[in-house]
Amino acid sequence: MRIDIITVLPELIKSPLEHSIIKRAKEKGLVEIVIHNLRDYASDKYKTVDDYAFGGEAGMVMKIEPIVKVIEFLSSQRDYDEIIYTSPDGKPFSQSTANSLSLLKNIIILCGHYKGIDQRIRENIISMEISIGDYVLSGGELAAAVISDAIVRLIPGVISDETSALSDSFQDGLLAPPVYTRPAEFRNWKVPDVLLSGNAAEIDKWRMEQSLERTRKLRPGLIDDDN
Ligand code: SAH
């Protein structure tokens, strides 16, 4: 899979995509992430990518031309399955969206800044708009990092023991059960006996019960939504 990220602040997005699971996925050749500086596509000598808003609203708006230029350039190189814009009014990001995106070949993520991008880009070029939550960030870079991280760990082969991604929260519509490691006892805080029993069937049953109990208590909507 290839992810192209378009930003005015390449430095802001580089580091989160250079460690841990994403780093290994890149090394294994399972994902290529290419960051593009939008200013490289500005046509004037000041590398202008924003301008005043029509109608007198306060704040700057990202201009059409540099964005069209970079996206048209990328689209001339390969076909893109989705051209995503990160936006607080986009579709709330979820594990199921991450799952579908992880199956695609090429995607673009456009990071907004200032007051956002000219509406005409959203109407004519963007195929999908994603919000990472009901709050406003200064720019789309952290959102792009969140989206890329959630997608990359789901690409088949990225996490060596694939079942470990499959047993994460939301993957089956439930929250994950609690996890424990050694020591089995610390200051009289004990690991549940069943986990030490060696009885795989009992352990699976306990995990499922814990998942259901946690989901009912912490996120009942996840269960109700299915009905
Ligand atoms: N004026 C806009 C907010 C602009 S914030 C509004 O009120 O909707 C600047 C940029 O940060 C946005 O263009 C978007 O790319 C990014 N951004 C901010 N909050 C976000 C969120 N919750 N999810 C995804 N992207 C977000």
Side-chain angles (χ1 to χ4, degrees), residues 40-99:
D40 294 343
Y41 294 82
S43 47
D44 64 321
K45 67 175 178 185
Y46 303 106
K47 304 280 175 208
T48 311
V49 291
D50 59 324
D51 208 336
Y52 294 100
F54 277 128
E57 198 188 333
M60 304 300 275
V61 175
M62 288 173 77
K63 288 166 69 62
I64 290 191
E65 301 93 319
I67 296 176
V68 167
K69 207 165 158 190
V70 61
I71 292 180
E72 282 183 352
F73 168 69
L74 291 173
S75 303
S76 72
Q77 309 287 305
R78 65 197 66 77
D79 288 334
Y80 283 91
D81 304 300
E82 294 286 1
I83 301 178
I84 299 167
Y85 173 52
T86 57
S87 184
D89 57 8
K91 180 181 173 205
F93 191 52
S94 65
Q95 190 68 12
S96 78
T97 308
N99 276 321

Side-chain angles (χ1 to χ4, degrees), residues 70-202:
V70 61
I71 292 180
E72 282 183 352
F73 168 69
L74 291 173
S75 303
S76 72
Q77 309 287 305
R78 65 197 66 77
D79 288 334
Y80 283 91
D81 304 300
E82 294 286 1
I83 301 178
I84 299 167
Y85 173 52
T86 57
S87 184
D89 57 8
K91 180 181 173 205
F93 191 52
S94 65
Q95 190 68 12
S96 78
T97 308
N99 276 321
S100 338
L101 292 174
S102 74
L103 302 173
L104 302 180
K105 201 155 175 272
N106 300 309
I107 63 170
I108 291 176
I109 307 180
L110 170 63
C111 306
H113 252 274
Y114 320 112
K115 290 304 277 182
I117 61 173
D118 190 301
Q119 179 64 21
R120 289 166 290 178
I121 304 251
R122 299 178 69 170
E123 285 165 10
N124 294 294
I125 294 193
I126 299 299
S127 63
M128 185 177 200
E129 300 187 326
I130 295 181
S131 163
I132 62 158
D134 287 347
Y135 38 78
V136 176
L137 303 165
S138 322
E141 287 72 19
L142 299 177
V146 165
I147 295 165
S148 304
D149 187 302
I151 295 173
V152 170
R153 61 201 304 289
L154 291 169
I155 298 174
V158 165
I159 296 187
S160 44
D161 176 11
E162 268 182 55
T163 55
S164 116
L166 296 179
S167 65
D168 282 336
S169 288
F170 308 113
Q171 210 49 45
D172 52 5
L174 296 174
L175 300 181
V179 290
Y180 300 85
T181 185
R182 289 184 291 185
E185 187 170 344
F186 176 83
R187 290 190 190 156
N188 209 24
W189 305 338
K190 291 186 181 148
V191 168
D193 287 338
V194 60
L195 293 180
L196 310 175
S197 70
N199 182 333
E202 280 300 310

